[in-house]
Amino acid sequence: MSVDILALGAHPDDIELSCGGTLAKLKKLGRSIALIDITEGELGTRGTKEMRQKEAEEAAKILGAVTRRNLKIPDGNIEVNQDNRLKLIQLIRELQPKVMLIPYSVDRHPDHGRAHLLCKESWFYAGLQKIRTTLNGQTQHAYRPDRYYEYMQWHQVTPTFIVDISDVMDVKMNAIRAHRSQFHDPESKDPETVLSRPDFLDSVENRARYYGRRIGVQYGEPFYSLFPLGVSDLFHLVQWKG
C-alpha cells in the first residue's frame, strides 16, 4: 500500500481537531490519506478505549481515510525508544506516504511533545537500510517520506503556512463530533474536561476562522515546517489582500 498523506496523533481525536480539515481537503483533491493513533487514549477522563476506538473508526470514514491504525503504546507513557520506533517505522514502510503530518514539538499535553519526537525520529530512521523490519515474514525496504509538517494543538506559534479549509469545514467538524465521548453531553456522568465544556467546539471553529482570516479566506489550519518551502508560481499563493 502507498498513500499520499499519513497523519499521526498521540490520542484518537488529536488528528481531527488539529488537521482534520486539511485531510478532508486533500481527500477532496483526490489524495489518499491514512491515520495512525499512537495510543488508545485509555487515560482520558471521559469514555473508554473501546468507545474511543469505535469513534475513531467512524471519524476515519467521515474523512475518507484508506486505513486507521493504532500503535497501542501506553497512554501517558509515550517513550521514544527502539521498540516504539520500530513499530512506527514498520508502518511508515508499509504505507509509504509521501508526506507526514505530525504534532508540533511543544504543547500543553506531555504526550504531544513525546509523540512529535517519536514521529520525527521514526521518519528519519525509516530511511536507513540497516534498521531491519519485517511485514508478514518479508523484509521491508528502507523508506523515508519526502517531508513532514507539524500541526498545532494547544500551543500556537507563527505558522509557516496555512491551508484553506473553507470548503471542508463541515467535514472537519463532523469528524470531530464523531468522538462524542470527549465533548459536551448534558446527560454524561463523566467529569468535565477542557474538551467537554459547552463552548469548546465553538472555540475550534473560531480558531479556524482566525487562521483563515490571516490568509483572506473563511477557515484555515496552521502548520509549521522545519524545512524551507519553495514555490514555482507566486500567483498560486493564497494570501490576504490587505
Side-chain angles (χ1 to χ4, degrees):
M1 181 188 297
S2 178
V3 299
D4 294 311
I5 307 291
L6 175 61
L8 304 99
H11 310 104
D13 54 2
D14 288 347
I15 292 171
E16 290 83 351
L17 286 166
S18 304
C19 61
T22 298
L23 294 172
K25 179 90 171 192
L26 291 165
K27 176 65 178 179
K28 187 175 181 179
L29 293 173
R31 301 290 187 181
S32 56
I33 62 174
L35 316 177
I36 293 178
D37 302 311
I38 294 174
T39 77
E40 296 178 284
E42 66 270 20
L43 292 186
T45 302
R46 300 168 68 89
T48 64
K49 67 179 183 180
E50 291 79 15
M51 293 170 61
R52 301 197 71 177
Q53 179 182 350
K54 291 180 180 178
E55 292 168 350
E57 291 170 356
E58 181 181 342
K61 290 179 182 177
I62 293 170
L63 292 175
V66 297
T67 188
R68 185 169 201 156
R69 311 289 182 84
N70 197 301
L71 294 183
K72 297 186 178 181
I73 293 172
D75 194 6
N77 191 28
I78 300 178
E79 294 185 355
V80 184
N81 57 34
Q82 183 70 350
D83 287 344
N84 289 343
R85 278 194 297 265
L86 288 175
K87 288 180 182 179
L88 185 46
I89 287 170
Q90 183 189 56
L91 281 176
I92 291 171
R93 290 174 173 176
E94 176 192 349
L95 299 173
Q96 297 189 357
K98 296 179 178 67
V99 174
M100 289 169 52
L101 302 182
I102 71 174
Y104 184 66
S105 57
V106 177
D107 203 58
R108 166 180 174 267
H109 197 312
D111 279 356
H112 298 166
R114 295 191 183 108
H116 166 87
L117 286 175
L118 179 61
C119 293
K120 180 179 177 180
E121 291 190 10
S122 299
W123 166 81
F124 182 83
Y125 290 125
L128 299 187
Q129 303 240 5
K130 291 184 178 179
I131 293 181
R132 310 287 185 184
T133 57
T134 61
L135 179 65
N136 299 325
Q138 301 294 316
T139 299
Q140 293 181 301
H141 296 293
Y143 177 83
R144 181 182 300 139
D146 296 335
R147 289 288 173 92
Y148 65 81
Y149 301 120
E150 302 171 36
Y151 58 75
M152 297 184 203
Q153 295 183 261
W154 188 270
H155 183 72
Q156 298 183 53
V157 296
T158 301
T160 306
F161 62 92
I162 298 170
V163 177
D164 177 7
I165 62 167
S166 303
D167 59 337
V168 292
M169 186 62 186
D170 58 332
V171 181
K172 173 186 172 75
M173 296 307 296
N174 286 338
I176 290 173
R177 291 189 182 98
H179 297 274
R180 56 188 60 84
S181 67
Q182 302 305 298
F183 304 116
H184 181 64
D185 177 0
E187 297 183 5
S188 174
K189 305 301 182 188
D190 289 334
E192 185 180 76
T193 67
V194 172
L195 271 65
S196 71
R197 293 174 184 169
D199 62 347
F200 176 76
L201 292 181
D202 290 337
S203 73
V204 173
E205 186 171 347
N206 289 337
R207 172 169 147 159
R209 187 178 287 111
Y210 166 76
Y211 280 108
R213 184 173 177 80
R214 297 287 301 274
I215 58 171
V217 302
Q218 189 173 9
Y219 296 108
E221 282 180 340
F223 293 85
Y224 173 79
S225 175
L226 184 65
F227 313 99
L229 301 178
V231 297
S232 58
D233 186 345
L234 289 178
F235 289 89
H236 284 173
L237 296 175
V238 176
Q239 52 192 343
W240 180 56
K241 298 177 179 65

